[in-house]
Amino acid sequence: MQKKLVVLFTIVLLAFVGLTARLILINEESGEQYKKQVLSQQAYDSKTIPFRRGDILDSKGTKLAVSEKVYNVILDAKIMLSDEKAVEPTIAAVQSELGIDGSAIRSRIASHPESSYYVLKKQMTYEEISGFKELQADKEQGTNIKGIWFEEEYKRRYPNSTMAADVIGFTRSDNQGLYGLEEYYNDVLSGTPGREYGYLNGDAALERTTIAAVDGNSIVTTIDVNIQSIVEKYLKKFNDEYKDNFEERNGSNNTGAIIMDVNTGEILAMASYPGFDLNKTKDPESLIGMPMVDELGNKTGEYITAENLAAMEGTDKLEQNFNALWRNFTIHDTYEPGSVAKPFTVAAGIDSGKITGNEFYTCNGFLEVGDHKIKCHNIYGDGTINVAEGIERSCNVVMMHVNMATGKNTFIDYQHIFNFGLKTNIDLVGESRTASLIYNENTMGPTDLATNSFGQGFNVTMIQMIAGFSSLINGGNYYEPHVVKKIISPSGATVQNIEPRILKQTISPTTSEIIKEDCNLVVSGEKGTGKTARPAGYMIGGKTGTAETLPRGNNEYVVSFMGYAPADNPQIAIYVVVDRPNVRYQDDAKFATRIVRNILTEVLPYKGIFMTEELTDAERKELEELQIEIMTPIAPEETQGDTEEGIEGESSENGQNSIDNTENEGNTEGTGGDGENQTDTTPEVWKTFPIDPETGYAVDPNTGELVDPETGHSVSGEAASPSGIGGALGVPQGDSTQDDNSPF
């Protein structure tokens, strides 16, 4: 027995010695090769797991931005070359199923045989790679396919392409947000990447440890895609109508529109033209027709054409022009508001107790302030009218008298109360600071006080104006404008509700009612300047505006209309601004009021707001063609006067060059006080002027100046004042809208 045990022990010992010798021999001959294979396998099985960026939804759940899983095709040359029999079958499968050139793979593995990671193709969909994966899984063919794997990631996609591009923004290739909500809520939308580790355990078995990715939260916006699409449709329609009309450029430098809930501050729609495709943010075709900027972002005075666009290819100048395209006009660009500022002027005077609102003033077409003769919109004069009629007719002279009564310090205080010079803090990236673009007690003189009364001499943004105006007509509550109302988790649970915030009381409810009544006259009054903004079947209120850009006398204007509906109980406010319409005579607010009318004609029935006004046959036909439900039964024969009366119902309010440095030519001082029996006795001489068949405007036979045949508003800009007078502080000469490279 002992001998047997010795023999067995000797045999086992010799076996171990033999195995040890064999292992030493293998390690000597092929140890490095096996080591590389193990390490390669470990690297192969260790990877980052991408998170899914949260969605952006409209107020009703429609997806505005989503992240879809895509796949990068990865070449592991080391694994492929480890089995020479697999090289050609793998290349053939990649070429046939993934559409990747086989010669590129051969070139890569020849030049980098040790490479374990090389991206052959990016962001393929599952449908595009499914055929290859089936081959990989096949028991026979799959054994000869090696060294190709798929890296998962997410691609941002915008289902509606151009819709709400200014609001949404977009993402870079690294999944970080740029502009709009994508940038402002980047931390909310972003998640945390996970990690999967592969390693060999003590038994030489492959183990995996996975740390799951945490997906980003989604945001629910206040945007209603139906209202947004209506707004964008009519901005594009305006551009289509006026593109290349007078010059080779877009229908305007910019056309912007905002619709806001006056009782919550929610932005229901926000858009500007030109826009861009969020899925193709660098499509150069989107730039054609825009004002050109140089390498520093300064406007050159030229417009982008196909010819000069080709010359910019690959330059910093091209990048700057894309930046100009991507910026949100409605919150970034600043401009002199013009006559839409007049309700603010009257509100400050009444709310401070400086005026009652019942005062009468006489307008003879201008008012002398210091050494300047400041013109009214109506160079023939509006006669003796009260404050409400001053807003109805948009009389500059009445507004100047109101501001003189209010006083410099009180006026400046109310500008801050209305949030001029301050950010609204809307939850979007790129809102401009305007603190240096308004006057203070040390910089405002008598002339500045006069011109500020009708919106000349200080700069604002669109979002500032509509937020402040909403407070004028909702009882005085200033709501912080906002675009997001809820943040939700990947599972759909509510993370945070963003409630409306009242930041301050701007005016009293009593003053608000007076302002609302005055603004209603702008649309419903016999001599209102905003008649053409009224949609069929509804009564609205609002205020028209025109502002001449710098330098004065350049005959370039920003025209606008700020309105609300319904007139008696405002629910929504709308603001449309047209920056330099592409026409010969730009000084005409109808370019804005017609857009407002078109938008509200569709938006108000969609909102379920009932009609209050009788419809003409023409209006009924219009609604039928648009397939819009008539929200209240009205007999066809019971029609009001035709809308023709309002078709030419407004034009310029500020008088294209309000200040003239000529010698005084007589006193036009207004009469303050409540003169109930004072009436307008000024003859409407412009109604006797001949009509220019080309433009439709009346022609003053004495001066040749073109005027609106209904209101007498000058539109031709013939009588220019010295440049720069009444200009906004800090605004570069040559453009009243803020320069693209401005720090403000």
Side-chain angles (χ1 to χ4, degrees):
M1 180 63 71
Q2 287 180 344
K3 289 181 180 179
K4 289 180 180 179
L5 288 173
V6 170
V7 172
L8 180 61
F9 177 77
T10 302
I11 292 172
V12 171
L13 182 61
L14 290 173
F16 273 113
V17 170
L19 287 172
T20 301
R22 180 60 180 160
L23 286 173
I24 292 171
L25 184 63
I26 290 173
N27 188 54
E28 293 256 345
E29 293 178 351
S30 307
E32 193 63 31
Q33 177 184 349
Y34 287 123
K35 180 180 178 182
K36 289 179 179 179
Q37 284 183 342
V38 170
L39 292 175
S40 173
Q41 185 68 36
Q42 284 180 306
Y44 183 91
D45 285 299
S46 180
K47 60 182 180 180
T48 299
I49 302 173
F51 65 83
R52 184 181 184 279
R53 189 175 177 87
D55 295 337
I56 299 177
L57 312 172
D58 93 322
S59 60
K60 292 178 169 41
T62 302
K63 292 185 176 181
L64 303 176
V66 296
S67 291
E68 297 178 342
K69 185 175 285 188
V70 291
Y71 303 85
N72 298 331
V73 183
I74 308 301
L75 168 65
D76 189 330
K78 191 187 301 183
I79 293 294
M80 183 180 288
L81 292 173
S82 67
D83 185 353
E84 292 183 1
K85 295 183 298 182
V87 173
E88 288 304 319
T90 301
I91 292 175
V94 170
Q95 188 163 302
S96 63
E97 298 298 330
L98 301 178
I100 299 172
D101 185 9
S103 62
I105 301 175
R106 293 187 184 92
S107 174
R108 177 68 187 180
I109 62 177
S111 60
H112 297 80
E114 298 297 310
S115 170
S116 295
Y117 183 92
Y118 178 72
V119 180
L120 290 174
K121 195 170 184 178
K122 289 185 174 183
Q123 297 188 340
M124 298 187 72
T125 65
Y126 184 80
E127 289 73 21
E128 291 172 328
I129 69 168
S130 58
F132 184 87
K133 290 180 76 69
E134 288 174 4
L135 285 179
Q136 277 185 315
D138 187 271
K139 291 183 178 180
E140 294 183 5
Q141 299 182 71
T143 57
N144 290 324
I145 297 176
K146 295 181 179 179
I148 297 293
W149 58 283
F150 298 99
E151 178 183 61
E152 295 179 355
E153 66 177 21
Y154 288 95
K155 179 182 179 180
R156 200 63 162 168
R157 188 174 70 84
Y158 303 93
N160 299 295
S161 300
T162 60
M163 181 179 288
D166 285 343
V167 177
I168 298 170
F170 52 93
T171 58
R172 303 183 310 209
S173 57
D174 62 358
N175 215 20
Q176 295 298 301
L178 273 182
Y179 296 96
L181 294 170
E182 291 278 29
E183 183 173 348
Y184 191 94
Y185 286 96
N186 186 66
D187 291 343
V188 172
L189 295 165
S190 297
T192 304
R195 188 82 180 177
E196 183 180 272
Y197 300 92
Y199 61 94
L200 295 177
N201 63 16
D203 297 325
L206 185 65
E207 295 278 354
R208 286 185 174 86
T209 298
T210 301
I211 300 174
V214 179
D215 293 338
N217 292 325
S218 296
I219 55 177
V220 180
T221 71
T222 60
I223 299 294
D224 185 319
V225 293
N226 294 306
I227 298 177
Q228 183 76 25
S229 63
I230 292 169
V231 169
E232 293 188 11
K233 175 174 70 173
Y234 286 111
L235 294 191
K236 185 179 185 302
K237 181 181 178 182
F238 176 86
N239 186 74
D240 292 344
E241 183 176 353
Y242 290 101
K243 182 178 176 64
D244 300 330
N245 179 66
F246 183 64
E247 298 178 281
E248 187 181 351
R249 62 179 178 95
N250 286 334
S252 67
N253 281 7
N254 266 300
T255 304
I258 302 174
I259 296 182
M260 180 170 140
D261 187 319
V262 302
N263 297 309
T264 64
E266 292 185 351
I267 303 299
L268 307 181
M270 174 183 279
S272 66
Y273 196 96
F276 58 95
D277 189 337
L278 290 168
N279 296 308
K280 296 183 292 184
T281 56
K282 287 199 171 183
D283 180 4
E285 293 293 318
S286 302
L287 298 174
I288 295 177
M290 284 180 53
M292 183 188 294
V293 299
D294 61 20
E295 291 82 358
L296 299 176
N298 298 314
K299 291 180 180 176
T300 65
E302 299 178 74
Y303 289 90
I304 299 175
T305 64
E307 291 73 22
N308 57 36
L309 179 62
M312 289 190 283
E313 189 67 33
T315 65
D316 291 341
K317 188 174 182 179
L318 181 63
E319 289 300 310
Q320 287 288 2
N321 279 281
F322 274 120
N323 288 335
L325 173 68
W326 298 331
R327 278 195 290 266
N328 187 339
F329 172 73
T330 65
I331 67 170
H332 174 270
D333 286 44
T334 71
Y335 54 93
E336 293 174 296
S339 291
V340 291
K342 290 175 179 175
F344 293 91
T345 298
V346 173
I350 295 175
D351 199 66
S352 64
K354 303 295 185 178
I355 66 170
T356 65
N358 298 318
E359 292 82 0
F360 278 76
Y361 301 102
T362 299
C363 169
N364 291 331
F366 64 91
L367 183 65
E368 295 162 0
V369 180
D371 296 329
H372 305 296
K373 184 171 74 174
I374 305 177
K375 295 180 181 178
C376 187
H377 71 292
N378 183 349
I379 59 176
Y380 306 99
D382 285 314
T384 300
I385 57 176
N386 61 25
V387 174
E389 291 173 312
I391 288 195
E392 175 188 355
R393 304 185 189 198
S394 201
C395 179
N396 291 351
V397 171
V398 168
M399 295 303 120
M400 288 187 277
H401 281 299
V402 169
N403 246 16
M404 290 175 186
T406 301
K408 177 177 73 174
N409 292 338
T410 301
F411 176 77
I412 290 173
D413 287 344
Y414 271 87
Q415 280 212 311
H416 288 115
I417 290 171
F418 296 138
N419 228 55
F420 298 147
L422 304 171
K423 281 189 173 185
T424 66
N425 288 324
I426 187 172
D427 48 346
L428 290 172
V429 168
E431 183 181 8
S432 291
R433 297 190 300 272
T434 58
S436 65
L437 301 180
I438 65 170
Y439 286 93
N440 58 47
E441 290 86 348
N442 299 320
T443 59
M444 177 173 280
T447 303
D448 306 316
L449 179 64
T451 57
N452 272 213
S453 71
F454 49 82
Q456 183 172 294
F458 66 96
N459 274 30
V460 296
T461 61
M462 284 186 68
I463 192 64
Q464 279 180 323
M465 288 300 291
I466 195 168
F469 187 76
S470 293
S471 76
L472 295 188
I473 52 148
N474 71 5
N477 297 318
Y478 187 97
Y479 285 92
E480 182 177 64
H482 62 283
V483 185
V484 171
K485 65 179 182 179
K486 185 189 294 186
I487 299 173
I488 57 178
S489 71
S491 65
T494 298
V495 175
Q496 180 184 355
N497 282 313
I498 300 173
E499 302 293 341
R501 291 181 60 201
I502 298 178
L503 300 183
K504 53 189 169 183
Q505 185 84 17
T506 58
I507 56 176
S508 69
T510 302
T511 303
S512 176
E513 284 299 315
I514 296 172
I515 297 303
K516 196 164 58 176
E517 292 172 5
D518 292 352
C519 289
N520 288 348
L521 290 174
V522 172
V523 178
S524 64
E526 180 185 354
K527 297 183 179 179
T529 60
K531 294 177 186 176
T532 55
R534 187 182 75 81
Y538 294 94
M539 185 50 66
I540 67 171
K543 186 68 193 76
T544 49
T546 61
E548 186 179 26
T549 65
L550 295 176
R552 305 298 185 207
N554 64 6
N555 294 331
E556 294 184 354
Y557 294 83
V558 176
V559 297
S560 59
F561 183 82
M562 180 92 74
Y564 54 87
D568 58 343
N569 181 28
Q571 297 180 32
I572 61 171
I574 180 171
Y575 189 26
V576 170
V577 173
V578 183
D579 178 12
R580 298 168 180 81
N582 192 0
V583 294
R584 181 179 180 184
Y585 302 113
Q586 301 177 5
D587 186 14
D588 195 332
K590 287 191 293 295
F591 298 116
T593 59
R594 289 167 178 163
I595 296 174
V596 170
R597 183 185 191 276
N598 288 335
I599 291 172
L600 292 184
T601 295
E602 295 192 37
V603 167
L604 295 180
Y606 168 75
K607 290 284 289 178
I609 298 173
F610 286 97
M611 296 179 178
T612 58
E613 309 302 304
E614 296 179 345
L615 296 170
T616 65
D617 291 337
E619 288 173 335
R620 283 182 173 276
K621 182 179 179 182
E622 174 192 3
L623 296 180
E624 289 169 2
E625 289 175 351
L626 290 171
Q627 297 183 332
I628 292 176
E629 178 186 0
I630 296 175
M631 300 294 290
T632 183
I634 300 175
E637 63 272 17
E638 296 176 359
T639 57
Q640 275 182 284
D642 201 347
T643 55
E644 298 252 344
E645 179 184 2
I647 296 219
E648 302 297 327
E650 75 285 305
S651 61
S652 64
E653 290 85 3
N654 286 352
Q656 57 283 348
N657 309 288
S658 299
I659 303 178
D660 190 354
N661 284 334
T662 57
E663 293 295 323
N664 296 345
E665 297 180 6
N667 195 348
T668 60
E669 291 295 329
T671 57
D674 296 342
E676 297 263 348
N677 297 322
Q678 301 183 56
T679 58
D680 173 15
T681 57
T682 304
E684 297 176 332
V685 294
W686 59 88
K687 292 191 174 181
T688 65
F689 295 165
I691 302 297
D692 176 21
E694 180 182 351
T695 63
Y697 294 120
V699 183
D700 188 328
N702 298 316
T703 65
E705 189 163 0
L706 297 181
V707 298
D708 188 292
E710 289 291 327
T711 64
H713 297 188
S714 175
V715 296
S716 60
E718 297 296 331
S721 63
S723 87
I725 294 181
L729 293 176
V731 180
Q733 290 294 312
D735 195 347
S736 76
T737 54
Q738 181 176 302
D739 261 14
D740 292 333
N741 68 334
S742 170
F744 302 109

